[in-house]
Amino acid sequence: MDSFLQVQKSTIALLGFDLFSENREMWKRPYRAMNVFSIAAIFPFILAAVLHNWKNVLLLADAMVALLITILGLFKFSMILYLRRDFKRLIDKFRLLMSNEAEQGEEYAEILNAANKQDQRMCTLFRTCFLLAWALNSVLPLVRMGLSYWLAGHAEPELPFPCLFPWNIHIIRNYVLSFIWSAFASTGVVLPAVSLDTIFCSFTSNLCAFFKIAQYNVVRFKGGSLKESQATLNKVFALYQTSLDMCNDLNQCYQPIICAQFFISSLQLCMLGYLFSITFAQTEGVYYASFIATIIIQAYIYCYCGENLKTESASFEWAIYDSPWHESLGAGGASTSICRSLLISMMRAHRGFRITGYFFEANMEAFSSIVRTAMSYITMLRSFS
């Protein structure tokens, strides 16, 4: 439980929010969100670069990647603002249910701890990839300028984001201020993505743990009488239903986020794959490769978590099948009632729960489809160059 709360606090605090305060203050450190406001201010200049380079496929693709990144970052930040109360309520539900289940015994606490350890490993990997892409995005312009000056004795000013400013960036003062603004704004892309995606991973990991606890209980249930067996099963079914309700609440919050993530990730992979194929043997190739890895991991997290949640929720059916239900039944109508409740629960568990993005399901099949579609569009873009 402590590790779950630590993940939530650390990710939300990146944006200056405090969802755990008793006085329900929206901001704890509002100055931390200035990077998001800075990327909102730089957005028109990125759009201007897209319109300016629309005849050059290579420059257009580079500018489009930056434009898509800013759109996704601003959208995720706006969703955090819009859903902050829903996240607060959902986190409170998790805290209460985790406390109740952890108090049932050490084996229950161990299931929760194992889920949170796995969640922390995935979040660490995700943060590392995003921070690496952010660092390369900030350093690459300086490296390219240094190599150009070393080889040709002259270097054109470059920025982390392709922007078209109304002032002359060849002036050192203007360039330094523009570079700092662009580098600072790039964190406005990283922080909302890291916050929302790692929280989603934490939620789904613990939901899978709740489903495992329900499976653990139903496999080992055994009452001394029919009444006791029915009471034990009712508690198990209540836990399973509560977990399903929390899954539904989570899905309602993340449906627009997943839909936007998959749509924009598909476009980003197309553009980045094209740029990587063109600059494979150049300095930019390392940057584009790391960016592609980050986008793929970002999409993979949603698909992987959705697949795990579907599998664990559906496995409750087999847990009922493997349970010693026949040892707790006797003759009469009461035993018929227990059998009927077991059959109904198996029928519901057979469907499992599916994380969706409105018109598609977030699973490994969708992830494969995104990668295949991106590869086909890369081939199309190369035919235009």
Side-chain angles (χ1 to χ4, degrees), residues 52-272:
H52 180 74
N53 298 312
W54 71 276
K55 291 184 178 180
N56 189 315
V57 178
L58 183 62
L59 296 179
L60 177 63
D62 193 21
M64 278 297 299
V65 170
L67 184 67
L68 292 171
I69 290 171
T70 56
I71 290 174
L72 186 60
L74 292 173
F75 176 76
K76 286 191 173 183
F77 182 71
S78 64
M79 291 304 297
I80 291 176
L81 291 177
Y82 179 71
L83 297 171
R84 64 185 186 276
R85 293 187 180 90
D86 296 318
F87 284 140
K88 177 65 168 61
R89 286 193 292 268
L90 197 55
I91 289 174
D92 289 339
K93 289 181 181 179
F94 270 86
R95 295 173 67 180
L96 179 61
L97 188 57
M98 291 174 68
S99 298
N100 293 337
E101 295 303 322
E103 293 173 356
Q104 301 299 319
E106 294 183 0
E107 60 272 24
Y108 302 96
E110 184 60 32
I111 294 175
L112 293 171
N113 289 333
N116 281 282
K117 288 180 180 178
Q118 180 183 6
D119 166 53
Q120 287 181 325
R121 288 194 295 268
M122 290 190 63
C123 291
T124 300
L125 175 62
F126 182 70
R127 287 172 182 158
T128 302
C129 290
F130 246 89
L131 291 176
L132 177 62
W134 171 78
L136 290 175
N137 182 63
S138 301
V139 173
L140 180 63
L142 301 177
V143 174
R144 293 170 61 177
M145 291 173 59
L147 288 175
S148 178
Y149 185 80
W150 181 49
L151 295 175
H154 176 73
E156 288 292 326
E158 297 188 21
L159 298 171
F161 286 117
C163 300
L164 185 62
F165 292 111
W167 53 83
N168 186 6
I169 62 172
H170 289 82
I171 301 175
I172 295 180
R173 181 184 60 184
N174 292 346
Y175 173 73
V176 171
L177 293 177
S178 300
F179 185 90
I180 294 175
W181 184 12
S182 299
F184 190 64
S186 64
T187 61
V189 175
V190 175
L191 297 185
V194 171
S195 298
L196 273 181
D197 298 348
T198 52
I199 288 176
F200 179 79
C201 185
S202 299
F203 281 147
T204 54
S205 295
N206 285 277
L207 283 171
C208 289
F210 295 150
F211 286 126
K212 288 180 180 179
I213 290 175
Q215 297 169 31
Y216 179 87
N217 288 336
V218 77
V219 167
R220 290 161 178 79
F221 99 92
K222 188 176 181 181
S225 63
L226 289 175
K227 184 177 181 180
E228 184 179 349
S229 299
Q230 186 67 64
T232 303
L233 284 176
N234 288 342
K235 293 181 180 179
V236 177
F237 296 154
L239 174 60
Y240 185 77
Q241 184 59 49
T242 300
S243 302
L244 289 177
D245 293 339
M246 294 172 69
C247 287
N248 187 60
D249 293 339
L250 179 65
N251 194 46
Q252 288 183 354
C253 290
Y254 271 89
Q255 269 186 334
I257 299 171
I258 293 174
C259 183
Q261 177 69 61
F262 278 42
F263 176 72
I264 294 180
S265 293
S266 301
L267 296 177
Q268 285 177 322
L269 286 176
C270 297
M271 303 295 178
L272 288 169

Side-chain angles (χ1 to χ4, degrees), residues 364-383:
M364 296 310 297
E365 183 179 353
F367 177 76
S368 301
S369 178
I370 290 175
V371 175
R372 289 195 304 267
T373 303
M375 294 302 296
S376 63
Y377 281 119
I378 291 171
T379 305
M380 182 188 68
L381 287 174
R382 285 186 61 87
S383 65

